[in-house]
């Protein structure tokens, strides 16, 4: 019904409006970045949505009253980490005023340097496309530079509380994105390899993501890893009909002699790697590059492509490690 020109419009009740907004079921995200000193900063947010596929854009809304707002306002990059249903504690942590939210949460630097939570449902690593003023919030639009996802159940939020979203994956979902996750696990100048059951050696792989600093290995056993020393190292395919590979660098947290690994695992000195017993040409080439870069102390990230691939050098990681511990 149309209002008369002289009739006064009733003010909107912000509490009632908030409750109305809250009936829209959302996921839960942790958005992260680094401040001017390189320290990780993050906060929980559920005002998130996709924007565009071409160019790849997303947005998240940040309250201007949040303590991390000035950092996001000034940073040129950020990451959006969608949480899975086992991460209520992570959501609560990043919604709190804790002085060190990252102390108990394992995170990596993938592309921009923004902290990416190692264990989450899906992550997007972004550069800032634009920042739009919107009342008591700011709309942060990001251009996606890298992303990753998993088949876990999402953490939902509705009417001011967490909600379960139990929905089995549709047939074929993620099938084109299946990846073998391998690890270059280093200890005291040696590298961990696993027997392939055919008289040769392969890189160890994991049965799930790193949890509480421990990596469960395919074939049995687990390793405690240094939480701030795990980095993406290489992404490549070996054949059109095979899954791709994600290779991470990692270091164990204690001397490997005390790890108690099953007999199918063995540490080899860097200068004694059994290249002739590694079947995959791509893995051999990647290992030779790793040995060479380890000697120089300067590493790159290899990304496969139709014209032979690219190596993006990331330099010495030590300054990042110091920032992560600070």
């Amino acid at each position: 019904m149309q209002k008369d020109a002289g009739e006064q419009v009733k003010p909107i009740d912000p509490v009632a409006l908030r409750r109305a907004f809250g009936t829209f079921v959302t996921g839960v995200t942790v958005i992260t970045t680094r401040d001017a000193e390189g320290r990780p900063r993050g906060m929980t947010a559920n005002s998130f949505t996709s924007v565009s596929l071409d160019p790849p854009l997303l947005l998240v809304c940040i309250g201007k009253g949040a303590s991390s707002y000035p950092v996001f306002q000034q940073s040129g990059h950020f990451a959006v980490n969608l949480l899975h249903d086992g991460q209520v504690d992570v959501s609560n942590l990043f919604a709190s005023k804790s002085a060190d939210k990252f102390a108990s949460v394992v995170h990596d630097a993938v592309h921009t340097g923004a902290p990416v939570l190692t264990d989450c449902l899906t992550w997007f690593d972004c550069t800032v496309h634009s920042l739009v003023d919107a009342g008591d919030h700011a709309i942060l639009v990001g251009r996606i530079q890298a992303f990753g996802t998993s088949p876990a159940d999402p953490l939902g939020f509705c009417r001011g509380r967490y909600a379960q979203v139990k929905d089995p994956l549709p047939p074929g979902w993620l099938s084109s994105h299946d990846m073998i996750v391998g690890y270059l696990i280093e200890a005291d100048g040696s590298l961990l390899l696993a027997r392939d059951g055919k008289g040769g050696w392969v890189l160890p792989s994991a049965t799930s993501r790193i949890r509480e600093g421990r990596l469960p290995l395919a074939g049995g056993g687990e390793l405690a890893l240094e939480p701030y020393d795990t980095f993406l190292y290489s992404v490549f395919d070996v054949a059109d009909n095979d899954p791709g590979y994600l290779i991470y660098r990692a270091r164990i947290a204690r001397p490997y002699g005390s790890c108690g690994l099953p007999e199918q695992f063995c540490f080899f000195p860097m200068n004694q790697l059994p290249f002739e017993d590694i079947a995959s040409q791509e893995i051999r080439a990647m290992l030779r590059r790793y040995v060479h870069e380890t000697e120089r102390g300067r590493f790159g990230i290899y990304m496969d492509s139709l014209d032979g691939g690219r190596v993006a050098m990331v330099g010495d990681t030590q300054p990042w490690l110091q920032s992560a511990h600070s």
Side-chain angles (χ1 to χ4, degrees), residues 24-139:
F24 183 67
V25 181
T26 71
V28 182
T29 79
V30 168
I31 56 174
T32 58
T33 189
R34 291 188 181 275
D35 62 20
E37 286 74 40
R39 295 171 298 196
R41 300 291 296 271
M43 58 185 288
T44 299
N46 70 329
S47 297
F48 161 82
T49 189
S50 59
V51 175
S52 169
L53 294 177
D54 187 16
L57 302 176
L58 56 75
L59 69 78
V60 63
C61 296
I62 306 175
K64 294 179 180 177
S67 59
S68 296
Y69 171 72
V71 179
F72 283 96
Q73 187 182 30
Q74 298 167 13
S75 178
H77 60 266
F78 66 98
V80 180
N81 304 270
L82 279 59
L83 302 185
H84 60 64
D85 64 352
Q87 293 183 298
V88 171
D89 57 337
V90 176
S91 174
N92 291 335
L93 172 64
F94 279 88
S96 73
K97 297 185 182 299
S98 172
D100 191 357
K101 299 177 181 179
F102 290 86
S104 60
V105 178
V106 180
H107 54 283
D108 295 334
V110 177
H111 184 90
T112 68
V116 171
L117 304 190
T118 303
D119 180 24
C120 66
L121 172 68
T122 301
W123 54 268
F124 302 94
D125 196 359
C126 307
T127 51
V128 174
H129 178 76
S130 59
L131 184 68
V132 182
D133 185 81
D136 57 6
H137 279 63
I139 302 172

Side-chain angles (χ1 to χ4, degrees), residues 16-296:
L17 180 60
R18 183 184 183 91
R19 290 175 178 169
F21 282 151
T23 62
F24 183 67
V25 181
T26 71
V28 182
T29 79
V30 168
I31 56 174
T32 58
T33 189
R34 291 188 181 275
D35 62 20
E37 286 74 40
R39 295 171 298 196
R41 300 291 296 271
M43 58 185 288
T44 299
N46 70 329
S47 297
F48 161 82
T49 189
S50 59
V51 175
S52 169
L53 294 177
D54 187 16
L57 302 176
L58 56 75
L59 69 78
V60 63
C61 296
I62 306 175
K64 294 179 180 177
S67 59
S68 296
Y69 171 72
V71 179
F72 283 96
Q73 187 182 30
Q74 298 167 13
S75 178
H77 60 266
F78 66 98
V80 180
N81 304 270
L82 279 59
L83 302 185
H84 60 64
D85 64 352
Q87 293 183 298
V88 171
D89 57 337
V90 176
S91 174
N92 291 335
L93 172 64
F94 279 88
S96 73
K97 297 185 182 299
S98 172
D100 191 357
K101 299 177 181 179
F102 290 86
S104 60
V105 178
V106 180
H107 54 283
D108 295 334
V110 177
H111 184 90
T112 68
V116 171
L117 304 190
T118 303
D119 180 24
C120 66
L121 172 68
T122 301
W123 54 268
F124 302 94
D125 196 359
C126 307
T127 51
V128 174
H129 178 76
S130 59
L131 184 68
V132 182
D133 185 81
D136 57 6
H137 279 63
I139 302 172
L140 184 60
V141 182
R143 184 175 183 122
I144 301 164
Q145 303 296 334
F147 69 95
T149 190
S150 76
D153 291 323
L155 178 62
F157 196 79
C158 183
R159 293 191 171 100
R161 59 185 180 181
Y162 296 109
Q164 289 187 324
V165 184
K166 296 295 184 182
D167 185 17
L169 292 176
W173 184 256
L174 290 180
S175 61
S176 62
H177 298 286
D178 286 343
M179 303 288 280
I180 295 175
V181 181
Y183 283 83
L184 293 160
I185 298 175
E186 190 176 337
D188 301 330
S190 296
L191 199 67
L192 183 66
L193 296 179
R195 298 184 190 276
D196 64 4
K198 304 174 184 177
W201 297 91
V202 294
L203 287 178
S205 58
T207 57
S208 67
R209 293 174 179 268
I210 298 173
R211 292 183 182 274
E212 298 180 353
R214 305 191 72 85
L215 179 71
L217 298 172
E222 64 177 17
L223 283 175
L225 301 180
E226 291 288 351
Y228 298 108
D229 207 1
T230 301
F231 296 88
L232 180 66
Y233 182 72
S234 190
V235 182
F236 60 90
D237 293 321
V238 296
D240 291 340
N241 59 343
D242 286 339
Y245 279 79
L246 285 173
I247 306 297
Y248 286 87
R249 293 174 53 218
R251 292 180 187 273
I252 62 172
R254 61 175 185 261
Y256 64 76
S258 62
C259 291
L261 287 171
E263 62 180 10
Q264 64 264 37
F265 296 99
C266 182
F267 277 96
F268 289 87
M270 290 286 191
N271 61 356
Q272 298 178 27
L273 293 178
F275 290 107
E276 67 280 1
D277 296 325
I278 298 173
S280 168
Q281 176 182 348
E282 290 81 4
I283 295 293
R284 292 198 304 269
M286 185 269 299
L287 282 174
R288 287 192 172 94
R289 179 170 67 88
Y290 182 72
V291 171
H292 177 66
E293 292 183 347
T294 299
E295 292 173 348
R296 295 189 302 162

